[in-house]
Amino acid sequence: MRLILIRHGESEGNASGVIQGRVDFGLSPAGVREAQATAAFLAACGADRVVTSPLRRAAQTAEIIAGRLGHDAFPMPELMEYDIGDASGLTPGELRQRFPEVLAAAAAGQRPTFPGEEGRDNFAVRLRKALDELAEARGTTVAVAHGGVISSLCHLVLGIGVNRPAAFHVANCSLTEIVSDRSGRLVVARHNDTCHLSGMATFADRG
């Protein structure tokens, strides 16, 4: 089993500096170029299937990649970004103004929580379901998702609870690879690889 996780290309929300969550932005022009470069790189590697979060920024990235690989991109709702509730669509400045206590918790090293958010335990359940399903697939799967999803999947593989602060930074169109070793154990073989982007990578990780 080989799972190549790709964060979507830069979105319109990334470019405008908002915290996205489930707000459904499409790709920016830079994001399209990142997706095209990623597709060209993966064409040389090959893949057996492409799955994607149904949110537009991921689905558009997946369509570009899948087209280059000669596949269709199949939606996988479990790969949608974490729903951050009332913080969705805010800029960092607006977040500081509306939820100062949340930022104070983050500054203290705690996982911030937002009114109306999905809930980390619920998030862990759906990501575990996705990981179990993807781990059963033979060959190579390309899965296009989001920064919070990819970081948390790495947490699950390494046995780190998703309630803990994120330990993995995920750039736009970076590659993170999870494979099974000889014993069948899942391991993170590569993380946040942007070498194929030739300096195009955008690093603001706001969902």
Side-chain angles (χ1 to χ4, degrees):
M1 187 283 292
R2 183 187 186 202
L3 173 61
I4 301 176
L5 295 164
I6 300 170
R7 186 183 173 207
H8 58 80
E10 183 190 71
S11 68
E12 295 166 340
N14 293 146
S16 60
V18 304
I19 302 163
Q20 295 175 115
R22 294 280 181 87
V23 181
D24 203 9
F25 291 100
L27 292 179
S28 70
V32 171
R33 293 192 295 271
E34 290 169 346
Q36 290 169 338
T38 304
F41 176 80
L42 291 174
C45 302
D48 297 290
R49 66 196 62 81
V50 178
V51 298
T52 182
S53 158
L55 293 175
R56 276 198 302 153
R57 55 192 183 272
Q60 289 175 354
T61 302
E63 287 169 6
I64 292 169
I65 292 170
R68 186 68 181 263
L69 294 174
H71 294 301
D72 293 323
F74 292 97
M76 192 172 188
E78 292 84 1
L79 295 177
M80 290 179 72
E81 183 58 293
Y82 185 72
D83 187 348
I84 56 174
D86 292 352
S88 301
L90 301 181
T91 66
E94 291 168 337
L95 187 70
R96 284 192 294 272
Q97 184 176 20
R98 289 187 57 182
F99 304 112
E101 70 285 357
V102 170
L103 296 183
Q110 302 169 14
R111 167 71 72 173
T113 58
F114 302 96
E117 71 176 63
E118 177 178 358
R120 304 300 298 183
D121 291 341
N122 293 333
F123 188 45
V125 168
R126 71 173 168 90
L127 289 189
R128 173 55 66 183
K129 178 183 176 183
L131 185 60
D132 289 346
E133 181 176 338
L134 293 169
E136 291 177 357
R138 293 177 178 267
T140 298
T141 302
V142 170
V144 182
H146 307 268
V149 168
I150 294 170
S151 176
S152 294
L153 286 171
C154 290
H155 277 223
L156 290 176
V157 169
L158 296 177
I160 304 171
V162 300
N163 287 306
R164 295 179 61 181
F168 297 90
H169 181 83
V170 187
N172 289 111
C173 271
S174 64
L175 277 63
T176 294
E177 189 171 340
I178 295 171
V179 300
S180 56
D181 65 13
R182 292 181 180 178
S183 69
R185 181 185 61 173
L186 296 183
V187 297
V188 178
R190 172 167 49 164
H191 175 64
N192 200 35
D193 185 350
T194 59
C195 293
H196 57 289
L197 296 178
S198 301
M200 289 190 293
T202 48
F203 286 89
D205 192 353
R206 300 191 181 98

